[in-house]
Amino acid sequence: MGKKRKHAEVEAVAEKKENVAPVRPPRTLFGWKNKPTENDEQQTFRNKEKVLVTCSRRINYRYRHLMLNLVSILPHCKKDNKVESKATKGATLNELVELKNCSSCLFFECRKHKDLYLWMSKCPNGPSVKFLVNAVHTMEELKLTGNHLKGARPLLTFSSNFDKDPHWKLLKEMITQIFGTPKEHRKSKPYYDHVFVFSIVDDHIWFRNYQISCPHTGDDKIDRGGLDKMTLIEVGPRFCLNPIKIFGGSFGGPTLYENPFYVSPNQIRSLEKRKKAGKYANKVKAKTKRNMHTMENQLVSDEIEGLWKA
């Protein structure tokens, strides 16, 4: 038989077992970095915003390139397959957002291969906004000289018009949550080298993306107050958002706001067709009037009209 261990050795083994690393608390979806305890005086909030970006079927190539440009400048977004644009798209998108573990959604919906609508929604309880997208210019189309680091966090700037009306305040908060990259996101870089500009002109939201350029050498560092040396160089893309409706739920629900100045593209095209039809009707009327005038005022036959004919 083997020798028995001494009492001191048994105590040393027990101490080694007690010095085991504590069990890591499970991750939660309530936005807290660590599991709150009773002794914690202040809980640290962690932003876990994730955005699902997808589009409808039969989308135009320019609009698809715009969607891919937004995916490239938003490191906290996730792409998904195309979704059929039907009446039940809201339930389908909410389910996709839940499966992808996201909290927001950007859905590009194309109608008649011409009109692009953007759904911006907070899932699953809302609110959601439907925009008409105009003046689309992609990065490949513009070929601008600006360039910034991929994955860097952007600065968000808004014009002073966003603080006037309640619906603009709501849109400002939604844009801040969706386009703002969370701090310490695994796909983001800890730098601020570009800025997103959202400005309201003629009740439309205009989007621009600029690179923050600081011309200096390796030894010459810019002071904190040296903003005169900084310049903005546009990167792209460009687009304009015309708000149509704001809903209380996700992709539907009670209407919180409706734009009274919105005119659908179908109405604009019908008015253009009516104008063209009016031009044709005026031509027909003028031709009929000329024929009537010619019949009423016929020329009198001349006596010597065929005198010199052989």
Side-chain angles (χ1 to χ4, degrees):
M1 294 180 63
K3 296 182 179 179
K4 294 184 179 180
R5 289 186 180 182
K6 295 182 180 179
H7 185 67
E9 293 179 358
V10 174
E11 291 181 354
V13 172
E15 288 179 359
K16 287 182 180 179
K17 289 183 179 180
E18 291 178 357
N19 294 333
V20 179
V23 180
R24 186 175 181 181
R27 294 184 63 183
T28 60
L29 298 177
F30 298 106
W32 303 102
K33 186 175 182 180
N34 296 323
K35 188 176 181 180
T37 59
E38 297 178 357
N39 299 329
D40 292 343
E41 297 180 358
Q42 186 177 2
Q43 298 171 345
T44 57
F45 176 77
R46 184 182 181 185
N47 187 4
K48 295 186 178 181
E49 183 74 26
K50 295 178 184 177
V51 184
L52 177 68
V53 181
T54 182
C55 64
S56 63
R57 296 188 182 276
R58 296 173 294 275
I59 192 172
N60 195 359
Y61 72 96
R62 289 190 62 199
Y63 301 150
R64 188 179 69 254
H65 290 174
L66 174 66
M67 183 191 69
L68 294 177
N69 292 155
L70 285 180
V71 169
S72 64
I73 62 178
L74 296 178
H76 62 291
C77 72
K78 294 182 178 181
K79 289 193 301 182
D80 199 78
N81 297 331
K82 296 179 180 180
V83 178
E84 192 67 36
S85 180
K86 294 182 179 179
T88 58
K89 65 178 180 294
T92 305
L93 289 170
N94 286 329
E95 187 177 356
L96 285 175
V97 169
E98 185 178 0
L99 291 174
K100 290 288 184 178
N101 195 18
C102 298
S103 56
S104 304
C105 181
L106 291 176
F107 178 61
F108 292 84
E109 184 179 6
C110 187
R111 297 283 184 87
K112 298 183 178 180
H113 298 277
K114 299 178 182 178
D115 308 326
L116 179 65
Y117 297 92
L118 173 61
W119 285 87
M120 189 182 297
S121 175
K122 297 292 293 181
C123 300
N125 300 322
S128 58
V129 192
K130 185 178 181 181
F131 297 99
L132 175 66
V133 186
N134 296 320
V136 175
H137 299 282
T138 61
M139 290 182 181
E140 295 81 5
E141 179 184 355
L142 293 172
K143 296 182 180 179
L144 298 171
T145 57
N147 188 17
H148 58 77
L149 185 66
K150 186 174 183 179
R153 299 178 64 197
L155 295 173
L156 302 181
T157 61
F158 298 88
S159 61
S160 59
N161 304 345
F162 277 96
D163 297 329
K164 288 185 178 180
D165 298 324
H167 64 279
W168 292 123
K169 292 181 181 179
L170 176 60
L171 291 178
K172 178 181 178 181
E173 182 62 27
M174 291 186 64
I175 291 172
T176 303
Q177 294 184 18
I178 292 177
F179 285 87
T181 304
K183 185 180 179 181
E184 298 179 358
H185 191 271
R186 61 186 182 89
K187 290 185 178 180
S188 65
K189 307 292 189 302
Y191 310 109
Y192 290 98
D193 62 345
H194 64 290
V195 55
F196 291 165
V197 180
F198 297 91
S199 55
I200 299 176
V201 180
D202 297 333
D203 293 328
H204 290 62
I205 301 176
W206 297 80
F207 172 82
R208 294 291 184 271
N209 180 21
Y210 296 98
Q211 175 197 358
I212 303 174
S213 176
C214 304
H216 64 281
T217 58
D219 300 332
D220 184 16
K221 295 184 179 180
I222 296 180
D223 299 333
R224 289 182 178 272
L227 298 178
D228 298 336
K229 298 181 181 180
M230 295 184 182
T231 57
L232 296 178
I233 306 174
E234 189 173 357
V235 181
R238 297 177 181 175
F239 57 89
C240 173
L241 300 177
N242 184 11
I244 303 173
K245 281 186 180 182
I246 301 178
F247 300 97
S250 178
F251 298 100
T255 302
L256 304 180
Y257 170 77
E258 185 174 0
N259 189 2
F261 305 105
Y262 171 72
V263 181
S264 67
N266 293 331
Q267 294 180 359
I268 296 174
R269 284 191 288 266
S270 65
L271 291 174
E272 291 178 353
K273 287 183 179 179
R274 287 180 184 177
K275 287 182 180 179
K276 293 180 180 179
K279 290 182 180 179
Y280 177 74
N282 293 334
K283 287 182 180 179
V284 173
K285 288 181 181 179
K287 190 174 181 179
T288 307
K289 188 176 180 180
R290 178 63 183 173
N291 293 335
M292 293 292 293
H293 178 75
T294 305
M295 291 173 62
E296 293 177 357
N297 303 289
Q298 293 183 356
L299 295 175
V300 181
S301 59
D302 195 359
E303 297 178 356
I304 59 174
E305 182 177 359
L307 181 63
W308 305 104
K309 288 184 179 180

